[in-house]
Amino acid sequence: MFKYFKGSFVFAAICLAIGAWIGWTLTHDIAGTLGILWIVLVLGVLEVSLSFDNAVVNATVLRDMTPVWQRRFLTWGIIIAVFGMRILFPLVIVAIAARLGPIDAVVLAATDPVAYERIITGAHVGISGFGGAFLAMVGLTFFLDEEKDSHWIGLIERPFAGLSRISGLAIGIVLLALYGISRAIPAEEAMTFLTAGIFGLLAYIAVQAVGAILEKDEEEPASGNAAATVAVAKSGLAAFLYLEVLDASFSFDGVIGAFALSNNLFIIALGLGIGAMFVRSMTVMLVDKGTLTEYRYLEHGAFYAIIALAAIMLISVRVEVPETVTGLIGAAFIGMALFASVRANRREGDGDVALEDAVPVAPTGERLSI
């Protein structure tokens, strides 16, 4: 198992070394430096706890991708995840909100972290609307699937699978949630929340549309190896785009929540980057070991956790939810799904043993030899 996490430990060591240098530069004190290192470690653990369900969903998509696109996601994807979403994304928010240029946004983050934190926190309503709507669509679409034949909590999942024939039901549910929550917040925030939520829905629809177009090209008869290669590449590209938008939606909560521990962009980026690398390692391990096949309900638990995270992001514009609670809810769903999978496997195993050991018996009660 260590081989999957070796690169993550190396990356974590590098990030901690950089964190120590930043800590000493800012504080010139051993205690202050250790305090910053502690924040980096806590942020890393927080990111892992919030994103374990992300790793399961990533593995679900990756197992159907070609090895080439798997490698591309695990290399280019992690670069986008660490540097794009944990560093560039907050800077873009600050630049747009404060109407600054990209260089000015970096200078603001480095020289005035208090103002930087204020601007990021001020964008919480829009971020929650966008990310919550996108993740809600991801979770609902998994359960609103008529072809889904494996159910963990059948009392809930079977009726939902049957409702999949109602076109646009998931979009309707999300729109109702957005409207209901918008009525409970101030009018000036409600429009921002609704607009961001609608764009979250459009982002999900756009990703699905790209995937449908590219999959249609793949299904068309390919003339020659070159055409077949192009079709496979297009399909891999669609899955790659889906995973990147999904990772972005997961990272919103962690980026915003990180300011509870530090308002320094670079310290936050180091901690969340460590967490993102470990999530990548977990994704690789889940794919290589076939864990999702062995533990059948693990995927279900991840999507329940996604719906819970989406709900928390949406209601967080009205009620503050601690990051610890968010992480514990996701971990609880994953843990219960894992436990249910183990029990199901044991029941099937016991049934197989009983069938193999069965001995035919005559009506008189006498055992018959085979």
Side-chain angles (χ1 to χ4, degrees), residues 130 134 138 200-215 237-246:
F130 182 93
F134 184 89
V138 171
L201 285 172
L202 291 175
Y204 181 84
I205 293 171
V207 172
Q208 295 299 312
V210 171
I213 293 170
L214 297 182
E215 286 176 4
L237 175 62
F240 181 88
L241 292 174
Y242 174 78
L243 288 174
E244 288 305 319
V245 178
L246 185 65

Side-chain angles (χ1 to χ4, degrees), residues 253-311:
D253 199 44
V255 170
I256 297 297
F259 283 96
L261 296 174
S262 174
N263 56 14
N264 187 298
L265 167 68
F266 308 104
I267 293 174
I268 290 174
L270 290 173
L272 298 184
I274 291 174
M277 281 296 294
F278 275 94
V279 170
R280 170 198 177 275
S281 298
M282 284 191 290
T283 301
V284 176
M285 184 182 70
L286 290 172
V287 173
D288 285 355
K289 289 184 171 293
T291 306
L292 297 181
T293 303
E294 182 180 356
Y295 301 103
R296 69 193 73 180
Y297 300 133
L298 198 57
E299 184 179 0
H300 297 68
F303 280 98
Y304 275 115
I306 286 175
I307 291 177
L309 176 58

Side-chain angles (χ1 to χ4, degrees), residues 163-187:
L163 292 173
S164 63
R165 287 168 287 186
I166 302 175
S167 179
L169 180 60
I171 295 176
I173 293 173
V174 175
L175 284 174
L176 280 175
L178 291 171
Y179 175 74
I181 294 171
S182 70
R183 300 285 293 177
I185 60 179

